Every structure is written in structure tokens, then in C-alpha cells.
Amino acid sequence: MNILAIKNRLAKPSVGSRQKGASSLEYLMLGAVIVIILGVVIATAGDEGGIGSKIVETFNSLLGNAQEKVDAS
């Protein structure tokens, strides 16, 4: 095979390179980044009524409601 034939073979897209959408690993990485960002926002939450404290209040109310339903059962 000459150099031109090798270049043409390497330049052609293969079937695997035509992926549409994200892979499961990419979704896992995106989820991890979101969890890290939420963790940082919550960790820096103060009592000044910022977004971090609102997230903490929301989690507390959701978990409180779930615990009340468990206790009622």
C-alpha cells in the first residue's frame, strides 16, 4: 500500500465515530459535576439568605416531609 491509500483509510470516518448523543460515562461525569457544584454552594451557604441557604432549606423541608410520612405509617 502506498502512502496515499493509508491516508485515505485513516481519514475515512469509521462506524464507531458516528456516535449520536452522550455516552453513559458522559452522563455520569455530568452528574458528578452537578453534585460537586451543589456541594460547594451548600458548603458556603451562610445565613444571609443566598441561594445556598435556599437549597439547604429545600432539602430540609423535603427530608422532613418524607420523615413525617414514614413516622405516620
Side-chain angles (χ1 to χ4, degrees), residues 4-14 17:
L4 184 60
I6 294 173
K7 284 183 182 178
N8 285 340
R9 252 179 210 230
L10 293 176
K12 290 182 182 177
S14 64
S17 67

Side-chain angles (χ1 to χ4, degrees), residues 41 44-57:
V41 169
T44 59
D47 294 330
E48 66 271 0
I51 187 73
S53 61
K54 289 181 182 179
I55 293 173
V56 170
E57 290 172 8

Side-chain angles (χ1 to χ4, degrees), residues 7-69:
K7 284 183 182 178
N8 285 340
R9 252 179 210 230
L10 293 176
K12 290 182 182 177
S14 64
V15 176
S17 67
R18 295 182 187 174
Q19 175 185 353
K20 294 182 180 175
S23 68
S24 59
L25 179 61
E26 290 168 332
Y27 284 119
L28 286 173
M29 290 172 51
L30 177 63
V33 168
I34 291 172
V35 167
I36 290 170
I37 290 172
L38 278 175
V40 169
V41 169
I42 290 171
T44 59
D47 294 330
E48 66 271 0
I51 187 73
S53 61
K54 289 181 182 179
I55 293 173
V56 170
E57 290 172 8
T58 303
F59 282 144
N60 287 337
S61 69
L62 288 174
L63 295 176
N65 290 342
Q67 186 62 43
E68 288 172 4
K69 289 183 180 180

